[in-house]
Amino acid sequence: MLSSIYITDLQGQVILFRNYRGDTPNAVAELFQQKLADRDEVLRPVVPVGDGLHFVSVKHNNVYLVAVTQKNSHCAAVICFLYKLVQVMQDYFNELEQESIRDNFVLVYELLDEMMDFGYPQITESKILKAYIMNDAHKLAEEVRPPVNVTQTVNWRAPGIKHKRNEVFLDVIEKLNILVSATGMVLQSEIIGQLAVRCFLSGMPELKLGLNDKVLFELQNRSSKSRTVEMEDVKFHQCVRLARFENDRTISFIPPDGEFDLMSYRLDTKVQPLFVVQAHTHSHSRSRIEFSVKLRSNYKPKICANYVDVEVPVPKDADSPVFKTKTGEAKYVPERDVIVWKMKLVPGQKECFLRAEFGLPSVSAEEASEATKPPIRVLFEIPHFTVSGIQVRYLKVTESSGYEALPWVRYITQNGEYQIRMV
């Protein structure tokens, strides 16, 4: 698949080189430097060189990671491997840059040797690599054999794991990206979802997860009285059996031990704003400006949002703030030119009010148009609630020893880029 891997600086000077198929290092490095110079520091991810030779590269901080291939390789797979290499090196020495590579020269070579054999990717999980490649050199002699899970089909989980209490925690986390006009019209909206798992199960368990998946109900010719969700851009952890999911939409997997992201998805759908914020300004003789801010929550009264922050932009030359509110507390953050209105709890269908007054000692410039004004930002977290309506119908745990496991499911909705334009 790959003939060699280079790590270079931003000028193309080679910091580290690993050869897998007999390349001439100097000649290939000179070609890469030339391609980099020709593009004035803007390098495409895939660059054809000639005679079937291609450079596939990713940039991270002040280095390029470059894979060289002489065959018709799958470019997306090569880029995915390079990003995985970045992640592994970050897990080992926190930050990937020129200095950290030079300080861990031998360790990087060992990682490259274990992560790829004869140009084909092998082990890319940090947890597996850390079982027998350690920072301290004297520990390497004690671990001359690879761990057992490297040679097994399920190489993301070691055998013989034992826990006193067998539990699995599943967090359904959704982030809402939304842009609302000053009149309350939704201009853009998007839901980004994630299923995060913390697994503390003994042995080699198999888990089955059922969601209120619209496609699943259509395949089974079933009708559902409850809401179903049609997910897009679904991505899974490598432990999920993709063939089974494509066949009958069953999410079946043997989980890694500890924390991992099982699944992510996206919903490109219009949703009603969870919070509506109206902010009006009143100028007084160009020496004083007053803000009237009203927040209204649009979800059900039984639901309560935690840690709600409303950030309202103010003029850059404002000073001497005075705030009046019965809900939460407000403060002026001059380095960001915003009012931050903090509320610990906001129940559904509630209205909150804030009045702020600022002095304007300097001569102010012309008032900015609505399109150029910074938007209001809202930060929040709503437990036991999802915007899309996704639900975990079941989470079953099966293990050969027959122990009983406790599955726990939690729903959380958070803000993404939640913005409201000012009047």
Side-chain angles (χ1 to χ4, degrees), residues 126 140 182 194 210 289 357-358 362:
S126 299
L140 294 176
Q194 174 190 3
I289 187 170
E357 189 175 306
F358 289 86
S362 62

Side-chain angles (χ1 to χ4, degrees), residues 6-249:
Y6 290 81
I7 300 179
T8 77
D9 60 17
L10 298 184
Q11 288 73 43
Q13 297 294 326
V14 178
I15 303 172
L16 186 142
F17 165 76
R18 180 65 177 92
N19 191 0
Y20 295 105
R21 292 183 178 269
D23 286 341
T24 305
N26 293 335
V28 176
E30 289 174 3
L31 281 173
F32 180 72
Q33 292 174 19
Q34 181 181 353
K35 292 294 180 181
L36 187 62
D38 291 345
R39 283 166 175 76
D40 297 326
E41 297 184 358
V42 178
L43 187 69
R44 290 179 297 171
V46 182
V47 178
V49 182
D51 296 329
L53 190 68
H54 289 76
F55 292 136
V56 184
S57 63
V58 298
K59 181 183 176 183
H60 184 82
N61 290 338
N62 57 0
V63 297
Y64 279 106
L65 283 81
V66 188
V68 183
T69 176
Q70 292 179 322
K71 294 187 176 181
N72 187 21
S73 301
H74 195 299
C75 292
V78 177
I79 293 174
C80 183
F81 173 79
L82 292 176
Y83 277 114
K84 197 67 180 177
L85 178 59
V86 170
Q87 181 183 340
V88 167
M89 287 194 281
Q90 284 180 317
D91 289 341
Y92 266 88
F93 34 84
N94 295 330
E95 192 56 69
L96 174 59
E97 55 184 20
Q98 293 184 35
E99 194 67 27
S100 60
I101 293 171
R102 291 190 173 97
D103 290 343
N104 299 276
F105 208 74
V106 175
L107 178 60
V108 175
Y109 267 113
E110 290 180 357
L111 290 172
L112 288 173
D113 286 341
E114 296 299 337
M115 294 180 69
M116 180 162 288
D117 261 349
F118 300 103
Y120 291 91
Q122 300 297 318
I123 309 166
T124 58
E125 284 291 326
S126 299
K127 290 182 180 179
I128 307 301
L129 290 166
K130 285 184 177 181
Y132 61 103
I133 295 182
M134 305 178 186
N135 287 338
D136 298 330
H138 69 276
K139 292 184 179 179
L140 294 176
E142 301 172 6
E143 301 286 344
V144 292
R145 295 182 300 171
V148 179
N149 50 324
V150 173
T151 59
Q152 290 190 350
T153 305
V154 185
N155 60 14
W156 54 84
R157 183 180 179 90
I161 295 174
K162 291 184 180 180
H163 291 282
K164 291 182 179 180
R165 187 179 176 89
N166 292 293
E167 296 178 313
V168 57
F169 300 86
L170 175 63
D171 289 344
V172 182
I173 304 169
E174 289 191 342
K175 293 190 176 182
L176 177 59
N177 298 329
I178 193 169
L179 176 62
V180 183
S181 69
T183 59
M185 181 182 298
V186 177
L187 304 177
Q188 296 176 2
S189 64
E190 180 186 52
I191 300 170
I192 305 297
Q194 174 190 3
L195 271 63
V197 178
R198 287 182 297 153
C199 180
F200 305 102
L201 298 174
S202 304
M204 196 67 67
E206 179 167 339
L207 277 67
K208 291 182 182 178
L209 174 66
L211 305 173
N212 56 335
D213 185 1
K214 182 179 179 180
V215 179
L216 172 63
F217 281 84
E218 290 176 351
L219 286 173
Q220 297 176 347
N221 295 322
R222 294 166 54 191
S223 60
S224 175
K225 296 181 180 180
S226 59
R227 182 178 178 182
T228 58
V229 176
E230 186 174 2
M231 297 171 289
E232 303 173 13
D233 296 341
V234 180
K235 298 178 183 177
F236 289 108
H237 188 273
Q238 63 171 325
C239 66
V240 176
R241 295 183 176 90
L242 295 180
R244 186 165 183 182
F245 178 78
E246 292 173 358
N247 183 43
D248 58 10
R249 304 292 288 190

Side-chain angles (χ1 to χ4, degrees), residues 292-305:
S292 299
V293 184
K294 181 175 80 170
L295 170 77
R296 186 177 78 251
S297 55
N298 278 347
Y299 40 88
K300 295 180 181 180
K302 293 181 179 180
I303 299 172
C304 192

